[in-house]
């Protein structure tokens, strides 16, 4: 099995649900095995996995179920919320499992200053027993992880990498300048070719849910500097996966492909936010054709 630090592609896995909103473990097992076959690291209970919509018991059940499968790829658990003690308790519970890494998002809603942000992450990093990827996504959290914050936290032995999803190349370059040597991952499928040109390490992907092998190929070829011929295709496909709130489109497509039993989500997300599947189905055909032509 690849080490955490050697994994260039992490799939932000959806959490499949039955129509009554209970977790669909048969579908979850199928998705995990598909990612394992493709050789992709698996992120459980991130925003794509609707982690904040699940109870603590449900999240632990997901962790226990997937780790019991013992897939031959690294597993990462999402950490996100705004109560420090609860986040530390969650990390401690995950420390007792086979989880290999953590994804830690900046605190929600509070919008802390740099000192508060440093103290927050330092507390979580001190608790973690695994390598940690921090997650900069101001559009979801309302606060930005500043390069100065990362420079201070870079000294922590548990800090492994940063997932950058601000959509701003200038911000990405600032991180590269302030924390040289820290692996930076794109948090946006479509932005990978742009970030790869300035030193990106890999991708945390939504698209890999529906295109596990294709996204693996996309990452490999992009990091080798070969993206010019397929950049437009992946931009289009990625945009369609975000044509409604994530993970609505990806769950709809997974259900259409019959990889999961339903496209059920939990409020405030609704599958009806995506009005038509036709463009996404067209993109699915185009991606599959691209893989065949690339072999």
């Amino acid at each position: 099995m690849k080490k955490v630090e050697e994994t260039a592609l992490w799939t932000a896995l959806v959490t499949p649900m039955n129509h009554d909103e209970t977790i669909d473990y048969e579908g979850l097992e199928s998705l995990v095995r598909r990612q394992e076959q493709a050789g992709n690291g698996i992120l459980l209970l991130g925003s794509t996995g609707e982690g904040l919509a699940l109870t603590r018991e449900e999240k632990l059940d997901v962790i226990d179920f997937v780790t019991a499968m013992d897939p031959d790829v690294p597993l990462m658990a999402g950490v996100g919320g705004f109560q420090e003690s609860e986040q530390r308790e969650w990390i401690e519970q995950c420390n007792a499992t086979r989880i290999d890494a953590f994804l830690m998002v900046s605190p929600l809603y509070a919008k802390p200053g740099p000192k508060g942000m440093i103290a927050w992450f330092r507390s979580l990093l001190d608790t973690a027993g695994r390598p940690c990827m921090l997650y900069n996504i101001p559009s979801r959290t309302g606060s930005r992880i500043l390069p100065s914050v990362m420079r201070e936290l870079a000294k922590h032995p548990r800090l492994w990498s940063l997932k950058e999803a601000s959509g701003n190349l200038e911000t990405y370059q600032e991180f590269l300048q302030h924390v040289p040597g820290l692996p930076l991952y794109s948090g946006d499928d479509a932005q990978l070719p742009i970030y790869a040109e300035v030193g990106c390490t890999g991708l945390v992907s939504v698209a890999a849910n529906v295109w596990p092998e294709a996204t693996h190929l996309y990452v490999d070829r992009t990091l080798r500097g070969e993206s010019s011929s397929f950049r437009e295709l992946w931009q289009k496909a990625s945009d369609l996966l975000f044509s409604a709130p994530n993970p609505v489109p990806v769950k709809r497509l997974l259900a259409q492909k019959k990889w999961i039993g339903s496209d059920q989500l939990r409020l405030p997300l609704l599958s009806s936010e995506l009005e038509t599947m036709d463009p996404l189905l067209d993109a699915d055909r185009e991606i599959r054709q691209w893989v065949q032509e690339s072999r």
Side-chain angles (χ1 to χ4, degrees), residues 7-273:
T7 303
L9 172 58
W10 293 86
T11 302
L13 203 71
V14 305
T15 303
M17 298 177 189
N18 301 306
H19 290 295
D20 63 359
E21 296 190 10
T22 57
I23 295 171
D24 171 14
Y25 287 102
E26 182 178 350
L28 180 59
E29 181 175 7
S30 173
L31 295 181
V32 169
R33 292 306 183 200
R34 289 179 187 275
Q35 297 302 323
E36 179 185 30
Q37 185 175 10
N40 304 335
I42 299 172
L43 165 62
L44 299 169
L45 307 170
S47 53
T48 304
E50 297 175 83
L52 292 178
L54 303 181
T55 66
R56 173 70 65 84
E57 290 73 21
E58 287 174 323
K59 292 198 295 183
L60 280 173
D61 286 346
V62 167
I63 294 291
D64 288 342
F65 181 84
V66 175
T67 55
M69 291 176 61
D70 195 26
D72 192 31
V73 291
L75 301 175
M76 180 158 45
V79 179
F82 53 85
Q83 290 182 318
E84 181 211 5
S85 59
E86 287 193 0
Q87 301 314 303
R88 286 192 289 103
E89 288 173 7
W90 168 243
I91 292 169
E92 288 170 350
Q93 288 176 309
C94 290
N95 281 340
T97 73
R98 205 225 85 175
I99 286 295
D100 301 298
F102 292 103
L103 177 71
M104 298 178 171
V105 70
S106 53
L108 310 179
Y109 189 73
K111 299 178 72 173
K115 292 182 180 179
M117 189 83 75
I118 291 168
W120 166 270
F121 278 125
R122 185 170 285 146
S123 174
L124 301 188
L125 290 165
D126 286 345
T127 306
R130 310 285 189 272
C132 299
M133 174 186 287
L134 303 193
Y135 185 10
N136 184 44
I137 182 162
S139 63
R140 282 190 179 272
T141 64
S143 59
R144 175 190 172 201
I145 302 177
L146 297 173
S148 59
V149 170
M150 288 303 301
R151 186 172 60 244
E152 183 65 27
L153 293 171
K155 306 169 187 175
H156 200 287
R158 288 299 183 195
L159 178 60
W160 146 52
S161 61
L162 174 69
K163 176 185 176 184
E164 163 55 22
S166 69
N168 188 316
L169 180 60
E170 183 178 339
T171 298
Y172 194 91
Q173 292 172 317
E174 287 177 356
F175 282 124
L176 289 171
Q177 293 168 3
H178 283 77
V179 281
L182 182 73
L184 270 71
Y185 285 71
S186 172
D188 184 323
D189 288 272
Q191 294 289 320
L192 178 65
I194 298 172
Y195 289 162
E197 291 175 355
V198 293
C200 179
T201 299
L203 172 68
V204 181
S205 172
V206 173
N209 278 281
V210 288
W211 304 309
E213 295 85 2
T215 308
H216 196 106
L217 179 61
Y218 168 62
V219 171
D220 282 350
R221 291 188 60 183
T222 300
L223 294 180
R224 292 200 303 264
E226 303 172 2
S227 67
S228 59
S229 64
F230 52 81
R231 183 178 301 196
E232 185 176 342
L233 168 65
W234 277 89
Q235 177 74 60
K236 172 187 172 183
S238 300
D239 288 347
L240 287 168
L241 287 177
F242 289 88
S243 57
N246 182 46
V248 172
V250 71
K251 273 197 166 181
R252 289 281 301 272
L253 185 52
L254 284 168
Q256 185 78 27
K257 292 159 78 78
K258 300 190 183 304
W259 290 7
I260 58 176
S262 81
D263 59 9
Q264 184 66 50
L265 300 108
R266 287 194 181 171
L267 290 175
L269 298 175
L270 288 171
S271 63
S272 59
E273 296 281 6

